[in-house]
Amino acid sequence: MLDDIKYKQETMADRYVSSQRHTIQVDYMNYMDEIATPVGVRPKILRVLLTDPRLGLSLLFGPITPYQYRLRGPGKWTGARQAILTQWDRVALPMQTRPCDQAKAKCSLKWLLVVLSTMGVAVYVNRSNLGALLQNPDTLLDRVKMCLTTLGH
């Protein structure tokens, strides 16, 4: 434990400005995940992506909020999913100065889900060669295209 404390103090000293005002600073996501793991409330993003794609995409591409640590485990809150899905509404609404009558454009995230799942399949299938694939992105793209054509048939 003392080695872990020393390592974190050295990391903080290298990363952050040393001053009286900035005594304790951490990377929020790493800190939250570190304390959530032993408690059993850290969200399993891949599982959420497979079981609830809309929520999974919000977790993956949205801001990190305390709501996501209330999805499961001790202190589970049934309203956490809805709070995560509507968090951008709570940010945008106070910024509006007047109501607008313009219709909102509908956008589909289906293509994003298809691309992400295809990339996930390509990475899983080629997990033994992952280092080589990441060093040569063209090979990875060829594998993704191959998976896309396989899924299309």
Side-chain angles (χ1 to χ4, degrees), residues 31-50:
Y31 173 73
M32 292 296 287
D33 284 347
E34 182 179 346
I35 63 174
T37 300
V39 178
V41 296
R42 183 176 177 187
K44 296 184 178 184
I45 306 266
L46 183 59
R47 178 181 286 169
V48 176
L49 274 169
L50 295 174

Side-chain angles (χ1 to χ4, degrees), residues 113-129:
L113 185 59
V114 169
V115 169
L116 287 175
S117 58
T118 304
M119 288 179 65
V121 168
V123 168
Y124 179 75
V125 168
N126 299 296
R127 64 187 176 277
S128 59
N129 299 340

